[in-house]
Amino acid sequence: MESPADEFMKYRSPLVSRYASKEMAYNFSDRKKFTTWRKLWIYLAKAEKALGLPITDVQVQEMESHAENIDFAMAAEEERKLRHDVMAHVHTFAHCCPNAAPIIHLGATSCYVGDNTDLIMLRDGFDILLPKLARVIDRLANFAEKYADLPTLGFTHYQPAQLTTVGKRTCLWLQDLAMDMRNLQRARDDLRFRGVKGTTGTQASFLQLFQGDHDKVEELDRMVTEMAGFKKAYLVTGQTYSRKVDIDSLSTLASLGATVHKICTDIRLLANLKEIEEPFEKEQIGSSAMPYKRNPMRAERCCSLARHLLALMSDPLQTASVQWLERTLDDSANRRISLPESFLTADIILSTLQNITEGLVVYPKVIERHIRHELPFMATENIIMAMVKAGGNRQDCHEKIRVLSQEAAAVVKQEGGDNDLLARVKADAYFAPILGQLDALLEPKTFIGRAPQQVARFLSEEVRPLLEPYKAKMDVKIELEL
């Protein structure tokens, strides 16, 4: 008998022990997997009985009464003897269902329970992720709306560029997340059931069971598919469903990982500028050596795990490429890792990102100071135009501004001083005709173009409608725990 301390004597995946939500951890648990196997055997028996095979109500009821009480120790012992996980669980199920033992797994192959269960887990995994993604989008949409017209420095090449707004920049993140939302929903809706296909996908065993009645075999497939909650089954399979399905599912998660990495990298860059910060708890410690630090550890966690999610994408690509003919078993061990880990990792980064977006802190005064340092350079064209309107010569004015700008840049770069271009303009008698206009010419909101209008239209036309199906699940808040 293992003691509680024994669990610390072996490796535990931090995806489950440290980060993942209970619902996603359960979705890929042995309990979920093997109770689903038993449900699939029950669906098969019910459908076979309904279509005329000699299966009794007593046998079905016996199976249903033992669907949940799995003797995992017996199953492990059976697998040690048989070296076959499906037959180990057939024997374990048969042990507690002696009447039903002869008809458990009747006509089926291992992939009937294995692949169909994987498809159920993928479907249910998407159903866990989609509301979480919707909540992240909702929180960021509220944030974008709140700061739709707050000017901030734009950056290209991570160099100061034309102004944008905090809300408009957030909409760039939202646009990517909205694409991910549509991709996840499509991948979820495209999933079909493997169904009842037999060892190489020809349904030969079931055709034999039903004495050559093709209609009954097709109806069996349809009935079991419906009982499992799917609208359609794949019309053709080998022994397994096509491993391209795994590529399709995991590529959407990898794409989501790329989005989250970009968003959280932006947050980390802005935290360095002290313009925006992720939530920071009252007693949180940023550094063991530097007590003043406020490290963006949540965003860093998202980036770290997003890289793992991107790396996992190579597994289904390679697995699909090396499946021989109707199937080879070299997919199995890999998929036991890559499928759960992809969904667990996506679950973690969405939960963490929701926590971040529910507590983002903006520092308008810092943003204003950064604008003030750069705006005089950006306003030079406006100053030239104002001087021309006041009767000045465009070329003369351009030369004046060029010289003063170079002098101001030297102060900033060589002396470490503030940008004093505006003071130089005010001190130059040449610009006397427009001195009264300088404050208006340097108003940041005149440099943000249609950013606020773009935010409003984007949120109303593309974001809010996307969230409608998830309205009832929007109130869940995330508290990060270890």
Side-chain angles (χ1 to χ4, degrees):
M1 186 76 177
E2 284 193 354
S3 71
D6 289 339
E7 68 174 305
F8 298 105
M9 302 298 289
K10 55 191 177 184
Y11 175 76
R12 300 180 300 161
S13 169
L15 290 177
V16 174
S17 66
R18 190 172 177 89
Y19 299 127
S21 67
K22 290 178 181 177
E23 62 264 32
M24 191 62 84
Y26 175 74
N27 187 54
F28 291 97
S29 67
D30 282 351
R31 169 70 63 181
K32 166 83 177 270
K33 176 179 178 178
F34 296 126
T35 55
T36 302
W37 283 14
R38 291 193 173 186
K39 289 175 184 175
L40 288 167
W41 284 321
I42 293 167
Y43 299 155
L44 182 61
K46 282 184 170 182
E48 288 174 336
K49 175 182 179 295
L51 292 169
L53 292 189
I55 296 172
T56 66
D57 288 336
V58 170
Q59 289 173 313
V60 172
Q61 288 165 6
E62 186 180 54
M63 293 169 72
E64 288 180 324
S65 67
H66 292 90
E68 302 285 341
N69 60 330
I70 299 173
D71 188 336
F72 286 100
M74 177 183 286
E77 181 59 33
E78 287 290 328
E79 188 171 353
R80 271 192 291 272
K81 288 190 297 183
L82 304 174
R83 296 294 174 184
H84 197 290
D85 57 350
V86 173
M87 286 310 299
H89 277 269
V90 168
H91 287 195
T92 303
F93 198 15
H95 179 77
C96 58
C97 300
N99 293 315
I103 57 92
I104 293 173
H105 199 65
L106 182 59
T109 186
S110 297
C111 285
Y112 167 68
V113 288
D115 271 32
N116 282 324
T117 294
D118 286 343
L119 289 162
I120 289 169
M121 287 177 164
L122 294 180
R123 178 197 65 193
D124 294 352
F126 280 124
D127 287 343
I128 293 169
L129 292 179
L130 282 163
K132 293 191 173 191
L133 178 52
R135 288 196 291 271
V136 169
I137 292 173
D138 174 72
R139 288 4 175 215
L140 279 176
N142 295 337
F143 182 83
E145 189 170 46
K146 181 177 180 180
Y147 295 104
D149 62 352
L150 178 63
T152 189
L153 278 178
F155 288 91
T156 58
H157 315 274
Y158 200 47
Q159 301 300 312
Q162 192 174 56
L163 299 193
T164 182
T165 69
V166 172
K168 171 61 192 300
R169 175 181 285 143
T170 306
C171 285
L172 300 181
W173 303 340
L174 280 166
Q175 181 166 246
D176 290 351
L177 289 169
M179 291 173 66
D180 292 317
M181 186 83 169
R182 289 188 288 269
N183 289 339
L184 261 67
Q185 188 67 61
R186 181 206 52 76
R188 188 255 184 243
D189 292 344
D190 280 354
L191 287 174
R192 298 188 187 186
F193 204 49
R194 176 192 177 273
V196 181
K197 299 296 194 296
T199 54
T200 58
T202 65
Q203 299 177 307
S205 59
F206 297 104
L207 193 61
Q208 184 176 0
L209 279 175
F210 289 104
Q211 299 179 328
D213 191 328
H214 290 266
D215 290 339
K216 283 191 175 182
V217 175
E218 288 210 0
E219 181 62 9
L220 177 73
D221 205 356
R222 188 200 65 77
M223 289 175 68
V224 174
T225 297
E226 188 177 272
M227 281 189 257
F230 285 80
K231 294 178 181 178
K232 290 183 177 180
Y234 296 107
L235 295 180
V236 293
T237 71
Q239 187 171 92
T240 69
Y241 67 80
S242 170
R243 296 312 184 214
K244 290 278 284 185
V245 175
D246 295 343
I247 293 175
D248 194 34
S249 295
L250 268 58
S251 66
T252 64
L253 302 185
S255 183
L256 171 65
T259 298
V260 173
H261 199 295
K262 185 265 191 292
I263 292 170
C264 289
T265 299
D266 284 355
I267 291 171
R268 291 163 65 191
L269 292 170
L270 294 169
N272 172 259
L273 297 174
K274 297 180 173 60
E275 293 189 357
I276 289 178
E277 284 183 345
E278 66 177 37
F280 197 88
E281 310 299 336
K282 185 178 179 182
E283 297 182 9
Q284 182 175 329
I285 295 174
S287 167
S288 62
M290 297 167 279
Y292 59 87
K293 291 195 78 178
R294 293 169 66 98
N295 297 333
M297 60 82 115
R298 292 168 172 85
E300 289 173 313
R301 179 189 299 175
C302 283
C303 289
S304 182
L305 290 169
R307 289 201 304 275
H308 181 56
L309 187 52
L310 295 173
L312 285 168
M313 185 61 236
S314 66
D315 281 332
L317 287 168
Q318 295 188 59
T319 296
S321 73
V322 299
Q323 286 301 285
W324 297 352
L325 307 174
E326 278 65 49
R327 119 31 91 94
T328 53
L329 194 61
D330 61 349
D331 64 341
S332 179
N334 185 289
R335 295 174 71 253
R336 287 174 191 262
I337 299 168
S338 61
L339 295 186
E341 286 203 358
S342 292
F343 277 83
L344 287 163
T345 306
D347 175 72
I348 296 159
I349 62 176
L350 284 177
S351 295
T352 308
L353 187 55
Q354 181 183 334
N355 178 264
I356 292 171
T357 55
E358 286 176 346
L360 276 177
V361 181
V362 178
Y363 296 107
K365 292 297 182 183
V366 176
I367 293 172
E368 183 183 332
R369 185 173 75 245
H370 289 158
I371 291 173
R372 203 163 54 243
H373 286 169
E374 302 293 340
L375 195 57
F377 291 140
M378 297 176 191
T380 53
E381 185 67 16
N382 289 13
I383 293 172
I384 291 171
M385 291 300 100
M387 277 297 297
V388 171
K389 287 179 183 178
N393 179 290
R394 193 264 177 199
Q395 313 314 327
D396 293 342
C397 185
H398 184 279
E399 179 59 18
K400 283 276 188 182
I401 289 290
R402 187 190 69 79
V403 172
L404 296 179
S405 294
Q406 298 282 358
E407 292 171 354
V411 170
V412 172
K413 294 176 181 179
Q414 296 173 21
E415 301 175 18
D418 290 336
N419 186 340
D420 63 357
L421 175 58
L422 189 57
R424 292 174 184 274
V425 169
K426 288 179 178 179
D428 193 316
Y430 177 82
F431 294 100
I434 63 163
L435 289 183
Q437 302 177 45
L438 282 180
D439 287 343
L441 292 174
L442 288 161
E443 166 54 48
K445 288 192 176 182
T446 65
F447 290 82
I448 60 175
R450 299 190 64 255
Q453 291 74 22
Q454 289 179 346
V455 171
R457 184 178 177 188
F458 176 65
L459 294 180
S460 66
E461 291 186 19
E462 296 197 25
V463 176
R464 300 299 185 193
L466 199 62
L467 302 179
E468 278 297 317
Y470 303 95
K471 267 187 159 181
K473 299 181 179 180
M474 282 299 169
D475 292 337
V476 179
K477 286 204 167 186
I478 296 293
E479 296 292 337
L480 290 187
E481 296 180 4
L482 294 184

